[in-house]
C-alpha cells in the first residue's frame, strides 16, 4: 500500500465549498460525468472521469479497455458542526487492479477553507502489487493535484 497526501487552500467558506462539491455541475465543469444521490442530509457523489491510455504506464495501458474511466464516490456531509468536515472517497477503474481510499479533511481558515487529502492506494495483485502501486501513485497524485487547482477556478 502506498500513501499520498495533498493540500490546497480555497477562498470559499467551508459551507460554500461543500455545497459546490455536492453540485453535479461543479464536476461537469471539470470534464467528468457526475451523479448525486441525496442521503439526508449528506450527498453521495459518483464521479466518472475518462482515463486516456496515453496518460497511463504502458504496463497498465495494454490491459485497459478503450473507454476506461476512473469512478470516484464521495460522501459529502450536508451538516457541518464547528469549523471542520471530513469527506470519504473511494475510487477504482475497471481493468486496473488498484483501489483508492481517501480521507479529505476540510477546515475553515478565516474566510476560506483549507483542504488536506490523505489517500491510500492498494493493489490486489500478489507479488506485483507494489510495482503497480508505484506506477499508479504519481499519475493519481498529478490528477488529484490538477483537480484541486481546477476546483479553485470552477
Amino acid at each position: 500500500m502506498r500513501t499520498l497526501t495533498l493540500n490546497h487552500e480555497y477562498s470559499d467558506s467551508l459551507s460554500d465549498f461543500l455545497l459546490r462539491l455536492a453540485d453535479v455541475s461543479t464536476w461537469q465543469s471539470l470534464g467528468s460525468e457526475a451523479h448525486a444521490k441525496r442521503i439526508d442530509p449528506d450527498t453521495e457523489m459518483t464521479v466518472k472521469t475518462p482515463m486516456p491510455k496515453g496518460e497511463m504506464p504502458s504496463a497498465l495501458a495494454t490491459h485497459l479497455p478503450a473507454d476506461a474511466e476512473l469512478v470516484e464516490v464521495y460522501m459529502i456531509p450536508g451538516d457541518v458542526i464547528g469549523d471542520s468536515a471530513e469527506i470519504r472517497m473511494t475510487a477504482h477503474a475497471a481493468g486496473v487492479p488498484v483501489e483508492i481510499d481517501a480521507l479529505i479533511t476540510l477546515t475553515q481558515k478565516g474566510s476560506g477553507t483549507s483542504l488536506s487529502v490523505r489517500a491510500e492506494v492498494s493493489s490486489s495483485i500478489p507479488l506485483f502489487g507494489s510495482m503497480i502501486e508505484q506506477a499508479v501513485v504519481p499519475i493519481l497524485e498529478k490528477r488529484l493535484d490538477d483537480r484541486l487547482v481546477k476546483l479553485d477556478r470552477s
Side-chain angles (χ1 to χ4, degrees):
M1 178 171 20
R2 305 272 179 183
T3 301
L4 73 95
T5 57
L6 295 169
N7 299 293
H8 200 77
E9 302 291 325
Y10 296 94
S11 56
D12 292 342
S13 69
L14 176 58
S15 58
D16 287 346
F17 190 70
L18 287 169
L19 285 173
R20 272 200 315 132
L21 292 178
D23 184 348
V24 168
S25 66
T26 297
W27 300 97
Q28 291 170 337
S29 72
L30 299 174
S32 299
E33 177 185 331
H35 301 281
K37 178 180 176 184
R38 305 288 179 210
I39 303 172
D40 212 12
D42 303 334
T43 301
E44 181 182 85
M45 185 66 67
T46 301
V47 179
K48 297 179 180 181
T49 307
M51 293 177 43
K53 285 184 163 190
E55 294 179 13
M56 300 290 116
S58 59
L60 286 178
T62 57
H63 300 290
L64 289 176
D67 58 349
E69 59 187 8
L70 179 66
V71 178
E72 302 157 275
V73 179
Y74 295 84
M75 185 56 73
I76 303 167
D79 288 339
V80 177
I81 299 173
D83 62 355
S84 65
E86 291 183 340
I87 298 172
R88 284 255 172 227
M89 185 272 281
T90 59
H92 69 278
V96 181
V98 173
E99 293 290 324
I100 302 158
D101 185 24
L103 178 63
I104 302 167
T105 305
L106 302 166
T107 307
Q108 183 77 44
K109 297 284 186 182
S111 62
T113 300
S114 175
L115 177 143
S116 174
V117 177
R118 177 181 163 82
E120 294 180 348
V121 180
S122 59
S123 175
S124 58
I125 303 295
L127 300 175
F128 298 105
S130 63
M131 290 187 310
I132 293 170
E133 292 165 5
Q134 185 176 352
V136 169
V137 166
I139 296 163
L140 176 63
E141 187 171 25
K142 181 179 179 348
R143 283 183 157 256
L144 281 175
D145 191 51
D146 288 348
R147 179 173 280 167
L148 293 176
V149 169
K150 288 177 182 175
L151 271 172
D152 208 16
R153 298 181 199 143
S154 64

